[in-house]
Amino acid sequence: MAVDYAVIVVYLAGMLAMGWWGMRRAKSKSEFLVAGRRLGPWMYSGTMAAIVLGGASTIGGVGLGYKHGLSGAWMVFTIGLGLLALSVFFSARIARLKVYTVSEMLDLRYGGRAGVISGIVMWAYTLMLAVTSTIAYATIFDVLFDLNRTVSIVLGGAIVVAYSTLGGMWSITLTDMVQFVVKTVGVLLLLLPIAVVKAGGFSEMRAQLPDEYFAPFGIGGETIFTYVLIYTFGMLIGQDIWQRVFTARGDKVARWGGTVAGTYCLAYALAGAVIGTAAKVLYPNLGSADDAFATIVKDELPVGVRGLVLAAALAAVMSTSSGALIACATVANNDIWSRLRGVGGRRGGADGAEHDEVRGNRLFILIMGIGVIVIAIALNDVVEALTVAYNLLVGGLLVPILGGLLWKRGTVHGALAGVIVGGLAVVGLMAAYGILANEPVYYGLLSSLAAYLIVSLATRPTDEAVLAAWRRRLAGEADDETPETPSEPAVPVG
């Protein structure tokens, strides 16, 4: 394993080096939180694919393939569909708003007062997403170095917190590009063909496994529908995803770069399912489906290649973890803490003010990162934590966000009603039916929609001046915002 260890250590050292380099670029709030809004198509596509394809998509996707065959691709497939829908229908408008958070978008559309409540819901979602990603380090470092759970979480979490705190979105963007390349080579170009060959090819796989392993809907229609509600719609409204959209250089980059990333996700989904199916042929009696990835990597891959593929799994986890962490810190600082202190809007472009903005956001990443590590050590059930996060996100925020983008008659009172009623319904139904039940997200979403429509129609329409300002921002006009002074010439990247 010495060669494999060397590959992993070099990879981890490179992540820290990227963080140090990113720190030199992140001199303003815009640079620190959204990479100066100037990523080109290649960098944007790579980082967007990296953020959405995490440990659940890699280790979990292979596990679903082991359990259900090719239809196990549906979970990651619905993530790709959500990213495609976001990119084609909404990303250009989102990028033109020039905001930092989803809650800022809600305030612009509805005229204020929706930000703190929506911010709390979004913060809870991003926090749980960061926690579940951090817990995944325990599995990977156990395979790599035989470390216990707590040490693994602290080691992996500390590296992510370090490079995220140093350079913010610039560091995360640079590390995500490396992680995207490592995942592509490790999973798609190495593990996929090797797994199929080791299993005897597709003809042998079909001979060894039941027919339902090759049925496109074998996982079940209700499961697929739930995946669409949670993951496809979740991709449309998550702060971690929107914050990447904000990094795009322009409308076309956001639209086409995201489309490329979404298409990549569809290929990644199928690859994971095929690898899992091959693992079922090779190891038909594993104790847990989630062990399939680590088992096939450890037993079937040659030295060096094994280290690269394990680095790919580590890359998948790190990209999601770092993206969720900066999203969590951004929401905590800009949507909750600043509003509670009565500090709204942007500060001026003076160097001192910009330095304070960066320092404040850097401090929040550090605080949130430490909190995430502590919660990850204390928490055991990853699936339940992630389910709670997505149920709250979709049940509480989907309707007010999409309603604001698509329906002129929606009001701030309707938005608040949708968030509160949907959120409370989800929590109550999870208590009644169980956290992993499908009913909470189904009925929570319906109750949010009903509350939004009824209250919006029963209250005065949004002031025309607010809507006019909203339309100007959607058109890409500054609308009296104070422009930020870039710390260096705005050279397009990627």
Side-chain angles (χ1 to χ4, degrees), residues 81-100:
L81 291 178
L83 186 51
L84 285 171
L86 173 71
S87 301
V88 172
F89 299 112
F90 301 109
S91 62
R93 282 183 282 179
I94 293 170
R96 285 196 293 265
L97 290 174
K98 303 297 184 191
V99 295
Y100 292 102

Side-chain angles (χ1 to χ4, degrees), residues 265-298:
C265 290
L266 303 184
Y268 201 89
L270 184 59
V274 171
I275 293 167
T277 305
K280 183 66 175 179
V281 173
L282 295 167
Y283 312 99
N285 299 311
L286 289 178
S288 169
D290 285 340
D291 293 336
F293 180 88
T295 302
I296 196 170
V297 169
K298 192 159 59 172

Side-chain angles (χ1 to χ4, degrees), residues 283-343:
Y283 312 99
N285 299 311
L286 289 178
S288 169
D290 285 340
D291 293 336
F293 180 88
T295 302
I296 196 170
V297 169
K298 192 159 59 172
D299 293 350
E300 303 296 338
L301 299 186
V303 172
V305 173
R306 180 171 50 204
L308 183 59
V309 172
L310 287 172
L314 193 58
V317 175
M318 282 188 159
S319 57
T320 299
S321 181
S322 58
L325 177 58
I326 193 172
C328 177
T330 302
V331 171
N333 187 18
N334 292 272
D335 291 337
I336 301 174
W337 177 245
S338 293
R339 293 169 192 265
L340 293 177
R341 291 172 58 222
V343 181

Side-chain angles (χ1 to χ4, degrees), residues 41-42 48 56 58 63 71 88 106 142 157 180 199 219 226-227 236 302 313 318 331 334 406 408 427 441 489:
W42 297 112
M48 184 61 87
T58 304
S71 66
V88 172
L106 291 173
D142 177 56
F180 170 73
I219 198 170
T226 303
Y227 284 159
L236 297 180
M318 282 188 159
V331 171
N334 292 272
L406 299 174
K408 177 182 176 181
V427 172
V441 71

